[in-house]
Amino acid sequence: MSAPDRLTQAISDAYDETPYLSLPFSYTAPGSLRAVAHLYGISAPELNRSRVLELGCAAGGNLLPFAIAYPDARAVGVDLSPQQIEAGQRAAEAAGARNLDLHAMSLTDITPEFGTFDYIICHGVFSWVPPEVCDAILRICRENLAPEGIAYISYNTYPGWKASDVLRDAMMLNSFGAQSPQEKVARAKDMLNLIENGLWENNPLQSALRHSAQQLRGQSDHYLLHEYLEAVNTPCYFLEFAAAAQQAGLAYLTDAEPQLSFPSTYGSRVALGLNGLAVNAGREMREQYLDFAIGRSFRKSLLIHAERAGAILEQPEGSAFTGMHLAADLRLQAGAAAPAQQRQYLTARGATLTSHDPIAHTLMDLLGQSWPQSVSFEAIREAASKHAPAATQDEMTAALLAHVIALVQSNALYYRLEPAQYQAPQSKPALIAGALDLLPEATRQNTQVSLHNLWHQGVTPPADPLSRHIMTLMDGSRSATELRSAVRDALTTGKHPHPNGQSYKGARNLEPVAQEFLNSLLAELRRSGLLLN
């Protein structure tokens, strides 16, 4: 066996021994890629009959949400690990996703005969494979991508990974000769202790190394193994990646989260600092300067065929949002001490947004109350117009767009060209398509897939037995009253305990307790996006 083949086999064995939990990532969803491309004037195929390929798909957890949501589309995943592919095939079968095909094979074996795809996704692979596989990834994105297709590749980048390089070298040194993954992780953590607590005060890298080590403390053992202790982890500068893509016949479009490429996202100091330096630089050079300014360590780049490069807008077009459907998980902070006319909203990521503008309030109230449904820009504009009857439609559009862009820069907004498939609340609650079938697989011990919502986010279902029992009844055939009776019966018979730990076995008049529990469960499922209506 040649040296490259031995390395490939070692990578496969590592993922078989300690497989990743295969999660969906919202910014890789084809609907998100299509919407982001639209901001830059680039069209992409509609989703309902599109073909999607994921390179390094693990157990297919990032493809499964798309396959279930679009049964007439085709999703194909390829991964080197047979164990993870088998797990993904079980999950796809359980969820009834017959349009999802998973293959255990090397990426280097993919040829043009493998097929043409509208969207190609390669998340968490490029930096962790040998050079010949990196070349294959870019070749596939050229040869197997449809003419109007979008490719996504994520990778570790400098300068942010420089301190992590030192940390990885130290952990690899201390774990050398370990006989098992568990021993390897234990030795790596011993080295983390040294970095956190034993560095010389005059070590010039002390601050950066200690910060990196402290960040790793909260990560899982799986993350440590596959991110820091793999045989290969090769970060690069953004310009190096862009040049390799160009050489392969591809063109860089933008980041999958385009707000991360705006200097203004990081505050006025960064924006002003880059203004003079990058004023005459091209778009890619400006982004490389930005990476130095913020210490970026990870990128999520969108690529298209080089022949389309001339159509890419220099800056994203804000007016593109007027034809989109928007959503945001926002909560009005009631009772917060604030000046008159000021409102504060909490995002799903825990950030606080503050505004005095009634138009912004209308936007955020409507999105927050509608979540997880999407709202068309037109409907938002119509609602906001009531607060400024003298404003023209153009003035109202401009005012709304400024607030929409602010939500994007706050990482709070989801936007698509298609409306979300959620419905208004109904009298007969139902989980989203596939959730009922996938629930047993996603909640069993050592599972490799998770539940998801229609925004391509991984969702952890309630852990208590009563909640999960009631969830299995939410197929749209039972009214809320019938579900309340099921809660009451489960409590009375003692079949499932109440999550509060109190026993209601044999108790009577439990309707108020059952109703309170059901209301809480429905609210939790709706906010997580598991509830269709």
Side-chain angles (χ1 to χ4, degrees):
M1 185 182 290
S2 66
D5 289 341
R6 287 196 298 272
L7 183 54
T8 298
Q9 187 61 50
I11 294 172
S12 176
D13 291 344
Y15 281 91
D16 278 344
E17 289 176 358
T18 53
Y20 254 131
L21 178 61
S22 186
L23 297 172
F25 298 92
S26 59
Y27 43 76
T28 71
S32 180
L33 304 184
R34 183 170 185 251
V36 170
H38 184 67
L39 293 177
Y40 285 82
I42 296 298
S43 60
E46 295 185 3
L47 305 180
N48 55 356
R49 293 187 180 276
S50 62
R51 289 174 55 84
V52 179
L53 171 65
E54 180 161 20
L55 307 175
C57 67
N62 195 35
L63 282 173
L64 197 55
F66 174 81
I68 294 174
Y70 296 94
D72 293 328
R74 174 62 60 181
V76 178
V78 174
D79 198 275
L80 197 59
S81 168
Q83 195 266 359
Q84 293 190 101
I85 290 296
E86 289 172 8
Q89 289 169 337
R90 288 196 303 270
E93 183 177 357
R98 296 180 177 84
N99 57 338
L100 174 57
D101 297 322
L102 302 176
H103 304 273
M105 60 185 293
S106 172
L107 304 186
T108 58
D109 293 333
I110 295 177
T111 66
E113 286 68 36
F114 196 73
T116 301
F117 298 87
D118 301 306
Y119 299 92
I120 297 179
I121 301 163
C122 186
H123 181 67
V125 177
F126 194 82
S127 293
W128 298 268
V129 292
E132 59 270 19
V133 181
C134 292
D135 293 341
I137 291 169
L138 293 174
R139 173 183 58 76
I140 293 165
C141 289
R142 172 63 183 180
E143 295 179 349
N144 298 82
L145 186 66
E148 292 199 341
I150 306 290
Y152 164 104
I153 300 177
S154 66
Y155 48 98
N156 287 337
T157 54
Y158 294 131
W161 243 87
K162 289 291 187 179
S164 296
D165 261 349
V166 177
L167 202 61
R168 177 175 183 268
D169 289 343
M171 290 191 294
M172 291 283 285
L173 175 68
N174 203 48
S175 62
F176 181 78
Q179 298 301 306
S180 69
Q182 293 75 21
E183 184 185 357
K184 184 180 289 188
V185 169
R187 291 191 185 184
K189 289 181 176 179
D190 288 341
M191 180 56 72
L192 284 180
N193 287 331
L194 171 64
I195 299 298
E196 283 187 278
N197 305 307
L199 293 185
W200 183 40
E201 61 182 12
N202 291 329
N203 184 330
L205 299 178
Q206 179 196 82
S207 177
L209 290 176
R210 184 173 293 160
H211 175 72
S212 296
Q214 289 171 346
Q215 284 188 317
L216 282 184
R217 276 298 175 193
Q219 299 292 346
S220 67
D221 289 355
H222 287 167
Y223 180 85
L224 281 177
L225 277 169
H226 296 306
E227 181 76 12
Y228 280 81
L229 301 177
E230 282 291 350
V232 178
N233 189 332
T234 312
C236 63
Y237 283 103
F238 166 65
L239 282 181
E240 293 176 319
F241 175 83
Q246 184 178 25
Q247 188 172 2
L250 301 162
Y252 171 72
L253 176 58
T254 185
D255 193 89
E257 296 182 287
Q259 67 273 16
L260 300 183
S261 62
F262 305 161
S264 56
T265 296
Y266 306 95
S268 58
R269 181 176 180 179
V270 172
L272 290 172
L274 290 174
N275 188 46
L277 186 66
V279 64
N280 295 317
R283 189 164 58 96
E284 293 172 359
M285 183 63 77
R286 292 200 303 271
E287 291 201 31
Q288 182 62 79
Y289 285 143
L290 178 61
D291 283 6
F292 279 111
I294 65 175
R296 198 192 305 273
S297 60
F298 188 69
R299 270 190 169 268
K300 309 177 298 294
S301 294
L302 304 192
L303 304 172
I304 60 175
H305 285 294
E307 294 82 357
R308 304 180 72 196
I312 301 173
L313 298 177
E314 186 69 15
Q315 298 289 339
E317 181 54 66
S319 63
F321 286 111
T322 61
M324 292 194 189
H325 300 265
L326 314 179
D329 183 2
L330 299 170
R331 288 187 175 183
L332 178 63
Q333 296 297 91
Q341 305 302 318
Q342 178 177 298
R343 293 190 189 179
Q344 293 183 338
Y345 298 82
L346 188 67
T347 74
R349 300 189 185 191
T352 299
L353 306 179
T354 303
S355 176
H356 296 80
D357 190 338
I359 295 176
H361 300 164
T362 300
L363 168 67
M364 291 191 278
D365 286 342
L366 188 52
L367 293 179
Q369 292 162 9
S370 300
W371 175 263
Q373 296 180 75
S374 60
V375 185
S376 70
F377 186 90
E378 182 65 32
I380 298 170
R381 182 169 57 194
E382 182 178 348
S385 296
K386 299 173 184 177
H387 296 283
T392 67
Q393 181 168 297
D394 287 346
E395 290 171 339
M396 180 56 62
T397 297
L400 267 178
L401 284 176
H403 295 305
V404 166
I405 293 170
L407 284 179
V408 172
Q409 289 189 291
S410 299
N411 296 315
L413 192 73
Y414 292 90
Y415 49 94
R416 298 287 192 274
L417 291 169
E418 310 80 14
Q421 297 172 2
Y422 290 103
Q423 303 168 5
Q426 305 288 320
S427 60
K428 294 186 176 182
L431 299 184
I432 63 172
L436 276 177
D437 297 322
L438 193 57
L439 183 61
E441 177 68 21
T443 54
R444 70 174 179 83
Q445 191 173 10
N446 297 322
T447 184
Q448 292 185 41
V449 297
S450 71
L451 290 182
H452 60 269
N453 62 24
L454 297 180
W455 291 106
H456 211 91
Q457 297 171 309
V459 176
T460 301
D464 65 280
L466 180 57
S467 293
R468 292 189 178 177
H469 168 61
I470 300 303
M471 286 176 65
T472 64
L473 305 178
M474 293 182 183
D475 58 3
S477 68
R478 297 172 179 84
S479 67
T481 301
E482 292 172 307
L483 292 174
R484 183 189 65 194
S485 297
V487 175
R488 179 201 62 204
D489 294 345
L491 292 173
T492 301
T493 62
K495 180 180 179 181
H496 295 295
H498 195 286
N500 65 12
Q502 183 174 346
S503 174
Y504 293 94
K505 187 174 182 179
R508 297 184 178 183
N509 302 320
L510 286 180
E511 276 74 12
V513 174
Q515 188 66 60
E516 182 181 9
F517 171 85
L518 181 61
N519 289 344
S520 177
L521 177 60
L522 290 174
E524 179 182 356
L525 295 177
R526 184 169 288 116
R527 185 151 195 251
S528 68
L530 282 179
L531 202 63
L532 178 64
N533 52 43

